[in-house]
Amino acid sequence: MIIYIILMLTVLLCGTALNVNYTQKRKRNFLLLFFTIITALAMLRKYTVGIDTKHFCNGYKVISNLNWNSFDNINYEWGFTALCKLLNYISPEPQLLIIVSSLLIFPPVGMFIYKSSEDVVLSTYIFISLNIFSMNMNVMRQSIAVGIILLGLEYLKKNKYLFFIAFVLFASIFHQSAIICLIMIVYYRMNYKKRTLLYTLIACVIGFVGFKYIFKFAVNLFENYAGYIDSEFAVSNYFGTAFNLSICAIILVFGLIYYRTDGIYLLKKELNNQISYDFQAYSISACLFCLVVGLQMTILLRAKLYFTVFYISWLPNAIYMIDFKSIRILYKVLFVSFTMLYFIIIAVYRPEWYGVVPYEFSWQ
C-alpha cells in the first residue's frame, strides 16, 4: 500500500510545486512522467497483483498449446486470445503479457486526461485514489477494451461515427461488453437537462427491480457471461457497491451543480476540443445505473468500467469552473483527503476487492 500512497503524494507535491496546470507544455510533461511511472508499476508487477492477473497468466500458458483454429476451447474473446498466442512466439513467460497489456491500457488514459482535463494533477491523483488504477490492474481484457474506446473518442468528437464504431468493434474482440459503448453515439449530441437526472433515477429504479431481465439479456448478447449465473459473481455485494454508488452520486451531483457556473466553459470547450459537459454527464449517469443494477448482481458492475473513467475529467473540470479561488482550493482539499481515506480504507479492510495490496515486483 505504501508504494501507492507515495505515488499519490508525489503527484500532488510535484503538480503543486511546479504549477503544472499553468501551460499545456507543463501538463504534457507531467503526464508523460507520471503515466510512465504508472505504466512501469503495472508492467513490473508480480502475477499476484490484481485478482484476475494470475488467471490471465494461467490462460496465457494454456493458449501457448492451442492451434489458431482451436480458440473456441478457451473462454476468452478472439482478440485477447490472438494477442496471447502472438506473444507466446516471443516468450512463454506470462510476464510478457503483463508488460504488453499495461502498455495498451495506461498510456490511453494519460492521453485522455491531457485532452479532457483542466486539472491534470487532480485527474492523475483521483485515477489512483479512486482505485481506477487498481481496477485496471485487475480486469486486463476489459481494461484493454477501455483503452481502445478512449482512443476512439477522438473520432467521436470529430463526428466521425464510422471510425468510432470501428474502435468499439475492435475493443469488443478483447471484451465483448465493449459493444455497449455504441450507446455513446446516441447521447453524444444530446443535451443533459434538469429532467435528465430524474429520468436517470427512474431508470435506476427500473434496473434495480428488473435486474434479472437485464442479466438474461446480457447472457443472450454475450455468451461468455453464461458461466457467471451460478458463480460467486451472481450474488450481491451491497456494502461495496453501495459505497461506490454513493461516491458516484456525489461526483455526479457536484458536477451538475458547479460544472457550468457561467457560459464561458461552452466557448472554451469548443476551443480546446474537449468532450462536452453533456456527454460526460450522461456517461457518469450510465455509471450510476450500472452501480444500482450491480447491487443485485456483482458481475453486472463490470459494465461501469467504461464510464468510471470519466470521473477523472468530470470532477476536476467541475472544480475548475468554480469562480472563487478559495472555494476551489477548499473543494480540492476535501476531495483529496476524502479519496485518500477511501483508498486506505479499501486497501486495509477490503484488499480482496482489487487484490493489488500488497504490491510486489515480478522478481520478488
Side-chain angles (χ1 to χ4, degrees), residues 130 132 283-284 287 291 303-312:
L130 285 178
I132 303 173
S283 296
I284 304 293
C287 182
L291 284 161
K304 77 179 176 65
L305 197 62
Y306 299 105
F307 308 107
T308 306
V309 69
F310 292 100
Y311 288 175
I312 63 180

Side-chain angles (χ1 to χ4, degrees), residues 51-52 215 227-236 294 296-302:
I51 295 174
D52 290 349
F215 187 62
Y228 290 111
I229 294 176
D230 298 316
S231 72
E232 59 186 297
F233 296 103
V235 297
S236 59
Q296 297 282 26
M297 187 172 285
T298 306
I299 189 58
L300 294 175
L301 288 172
R302 293 292 178 93

